[in-house]
Amino acid sequence: MSKGTKVPGYMQGKGSRNPRGIIGDREIRYKCSLQNTILDVLRGRPGWQEVPGQNNIQPNVNQANPKQAGSGSTTQGTTSGYKGSDGDWDFYWCDREWLAQNYDTMFLYEHQKILHFRNHYELTRKNLMVKNLKRLKKQTERELGKAEGQSFEFFPTTYELPSEYHIFVEEFKKNPGIIWIMKPAARAQGRGIFLFRRLKDITDWKKGEYQPLSDPNREVPETYVVQRYIENPYLIGGRKFDVRVYVLVVSYNPLKVWLYRSGFARFSNTRFSLDSIEDTYVHLTNVAIQKNAPDYDPDKGCKWSTQQLRKYLSAKHGVEAVKKAFKGIDNIIIKSLQSVQKIIINDKHCFEMYGYDVLFDSDLKPWLIEINASPSLTASGKEDYDLKFGLLNDLLNVLDLENRLTGKEKRVGGWDLLWEDGPILADDGNMECAPNGTTASIPNSFLGCHNERKRQLRELYTAAQSIKKS
């Protein structure tokens, strides 16, 4: 292969070298496709320098494109490692559309980092997510037995339409009167979602299944998933909510997963009722939906921090019950990532920050609603901005392009190492959120626990510097 040949990043050998050398003490050069909190973080980071060029700022496309990655991209230009016309870069927070258009022709040097794995949509498109979970569940039951398969009972009964319309109808007839929810497979922010009780409300998808493929005039309906609606959500103040959980994957082979301590619960603006299933302000918690409610208060918003939520639930149900519920979220995270571990194109240059949406039912059982590859980084208020600023700053601390860490850390700021080719156990001195008197090892998972990230970072870097000197 000639020296100038471009090959996909994941095919790069370990011997590749940047003409300017590994980063070392020089400035870190970055590009960013979004104009929100992540750009503030990058611009405020000491020793980081923005690369000028037309690809740097694009409109905020967080979750905006309903099409599968690889189609309908509006991003202009290309970047091929240090040979691109926009100059060289070490770190690129790109959007999904740009990656789909450019990844397969990029030349990536050893140290470069870029957001998103090539086929991230295997986990974040709703139909593919369920397909992959179902497959791993069947494999687990076949190899380890039905009992072990119970650990996958965290997503509602789901079918893809129109392709599984007839199978869905059989299930629908077995359970007359229950409520189902329809969701577009590749849209976000609550767009296109509706609830129904009658088959006649989804006749468009019946036509889509049975029209002959040879029909040149065939109008194929958009791919949707239909799920059994969770009719008994946990309510606070009579309102439904779900929880946004941030997960960082830095490698799929081996699987290495970090879980952020902070997040938020998103509440609906209207008291919950099954009498008006057409009212999106009752049933959908997306901020993009709720902010349009007639009595929405932009100053108050509809959010609690995950710390507030955990304290509330612990006071009402006890620490042990809440610990079990949050352990269920850990299980959701790991099982879902394992379901795509052999499918995702692993690339040492790539990382992914997922936004998991989880809903508790009235028994405090967590349910996976969806997984976002581009969770919104636009802040809805000061508290939300502070959360996201710390989240993203600590993400960069985990990636450690400055080479300040030892590589053996279990915690970096607000991120806790949850899994590294197996579960990670907490150190003895890190037993937050554990019941009093706990001495046994517990998972290194602290979602909703105290997040004194700045103090922890100071201590961490001091300790790492001492280790490196010795």
Side-chain angles (χ1 to χ4, degrees):
M1 185 177 289
S2 65
K3 217 172 185 181
T5 303
K6 296 178 183 178
V7 296
Y10 66 91
M11 293 176 62
Q12 284 298 304
K14 292 185 178 180
S16 301
R17 286 293 179 267
N18 168 11
R20 298 179 64 205
I22 297 301
I23 293 171
D25 294 329
R26 68 171 171 80
E27 78 282 354
I28 295 171
R29 295 169 63 81
Y30 69 86
K31 289 168 64 70
C32 184
S33 294
L34 302 180
Q35 197 168 17
N36 52 30
T37 314
I38 180 58
L39 189 59
D40 292 346
V41 169
L42 290 167
R43 285 177 172 170
R45 199 162 174 90
W48 286 54
Q49 180 181 333
E50 191 169 355
V51 177
Q54 61 179 344
N55 287 343
N56 261 38
I57 306 299
Q58 297 291 341
N60 182 359
V61 293
N62 280 356
Q63 304 174 338
N65 195 336
K67 299 180 181 180
Q68 178 173 340
S71 63
S73 175
T74 59
T75 310
Q76 299 176 350
T78 60
T79 300
S80 301
Y82 283 89
K83 299 176 183 178
S85 59
D86 296 326
D88 50 352
W89 53 269
D90 306 303
F91 179 89
Y92 192 3
W93 193 281
C94 70
D95 58 61
R96 296 165 297 171
E97 292 75 19
W98 186 93
L99 187 84
Q101 195 175 53
N102 294 281
Y103 179 86
D104 291 335
T105 56
M106 285 194 300
F107 181 97
L108 292 173
Y109 290 101
E110 186 78 10
H111 66 281
Q112 286 180 294
K113 291 287 183 185
I114 189 165
L115 177 66
H116 299 309
F117 289 89
R118 173 66 181 87
N119 55 338
H120 59 83
Y121 48 81
E122 288 286 350
L123 186 62
T124 56
R125 281 178 61 96
K126 298 176 186 70
N127 56 331
L128 298 181
M129 178 191 81
V130 172
K131 171 187 164 187
N132 289 318
L133 281 168
K134 285 180 177 178
R135 184 181 60 245
L136 184 58
K137 180 184 179 184
K138 286 180 181 177
Q139 179 185 334
T140 301
E141 289 175 341
R142 188 169 59 248
E143 296 176 357
L144 301 175
K146 291 276 187 183
E148 192 63 29
Q150 294 296 310
S151 63
F152 287 85
E153 297 295 332
F154 55 75
F155 59 98
T157 302
T158 307
Y159 300 94
E160 180 182 321
L161 300 185
S163 62
E164 296 180 328
Y165 181 85
H166 66 290
I167 305 174
F168 164 66
V169 169
E170 290 178 16
E171 183 69 23
F172 180 90
K173 290 178 179 177
K174 289 178 188 174
N175 300 279
I178 70 167
I179 300 172
W180 296 85
I181 184 167
M182 286 280 283
K183 304 176 183 179
R187 285 200 253 175
Q189 298 182 333
R191 289 188 295 269
I193 297 178
F194 63 93
L195 280 64
F196 71 96
R197 284 192 176 101
R198 301 171 300 181
L199 278 178
K200 69 178 186 178
D201 293 331
I202 59 166
T203 52
D204 286 348
W205 286 269
K206 178 180 180 180
K207 295 174 186 174
E209 182 191 31
Y210 292 112
Q211 284 180 343
L213 288 171
S214 56
D215 183 357
N217 299 316
R218 179 186 183 191
E219 290 185 16
V220 181
E222 181 180 354
T223 300
Y224 266 62
V225 294
V226 57
Q227 291 183 325
R228 185 163 181 168
Y229 185 62
I230 298 169
E231 298 184 19
N232 63 326
Y234 192 99
L235 304 178
I236 296 179
R239 289 168 171 80
K240 177 182 175 180
F241 67 92
D242 67 3
V243 186
R244 168 58 57 85
V245 180
Y246 294 104
V247 175
L248 171 64
V249 177
V250 295
S251 170
Y252 269 98
N253 185 23
L255 184 62
K256 188 170 184 179
V257 185
W258 296 79
L259 174 62
Y260 200 66
R261 295 185 168 212
S262 299
F264 51 85
R266 305 179 300 183
F267 287 82
S268 61
N269 200 59
T270 308
R271 295 177 70 86
F272 183 78
S273 170
L274 293 176
D275 295 334
S276 52
I277 63 172
E278 71 286 344
D279 190 340
T280 54
Y281 301 134
V282 171
H283 299 284
L284 303 185
T285 61
N286 309 72
V287 175
I289 299 290
Q290 294 298 327
K291 68 182 181 181
N292 296 315
D295 52 349
Y296 177 78
D297 185 341
D299 295 323
K300 282 184 173 181
C302 293
K303 290 182 179 179
W304 273 12
S305 71
T306 315
Q307 282 78 8
Q308 284 177 286
L309 177 65
R310 186 157 188 159
K311 282 180 184 177
Y312 174 88
L313 294 175
S314 296
K316 193 164 184 181
H317 302 282
V319 173
E320 279 295 340
V322 175
K323 180 183 171 186
K324 180 182 177 183
F326 277 67
K327 188 177 180 182
I329 295 179
D330 294 346
N331 176 64
I332 288 173
I333 293 167
I334 297 304
K335 290 288 195 299
S336 60
L337 293 171
Q338 287 176 332
S339 75
V340 296
Q341 187 177 2
K342 295 180 180 178
I343 299 171
I344 295 288
I345 300 171
N346 190 59
D347 184 342
K348 64 187 177 183
H349 303 97
C350 301
F351 66 95
E352 198 81 57
M353 187 183 77
Y354 296 107
Y356 277 68
D357 291 336
V358 176
L359 180 142
F360 288 115
D361 67 17
S362 56
D363 298 317
L364 273 186
K365 175 182 175 178
W367 294 87
L368 175 61
I369 303 302
E370 66 179 28
I371 305 172
N372 301 279
S374 297
S376 174
L377 301 179
T378 301
S380 58
K382 185 183 182 305
E383 285 187 19
D384 197 41
Y385 181 84
D386 291 343
L387 162 67
K388 290 171 179 174
F389 194 95
L391 164 83
L392 295 166
N393 228 330
D394 287 346
L395 182 149
L396 299 179
N397 293 333
V398 170
L399 296 179
D400 193 29
L401 271 71
E402 299 94 337
N403 193 28
R404 292 187 290 173
L405 302 177
T406 65
K408 298 180 180 178
E409 289 78 10
K410 290 185 179 180
R411 180 184 176 190
V412 178
W415 290 101
D416 294 292
L417 183 59
L418 181 64
W419 189 274
E420 186 172 18
D421 211 18
I424 301 296
L425 298 179
D427 295 329
D428 292 340
N430 193 2
M431 292 294 181
E432 300 171 58
C433 293
N436 293 332
T438 296
T439 56
S441 296
I442 63 170
N444 195 49
S445 172
F446 301 97
L447 178 62
C449 299
H450 188 48
N451 185 9
E452 70 310 341
R453 48 176 297 273
K454 291 182 179 178
R455 179 182 65 79
Q456 194 274 341
L457 285 170
R458 285 194 300 270
E459 295 173 357
L460 178 70
Y461 285 127
T462 301
Q465 191 175 21
S466 299
I467 292 171
K468 288 196 169 191
K469 282 182 178 177
S470 62

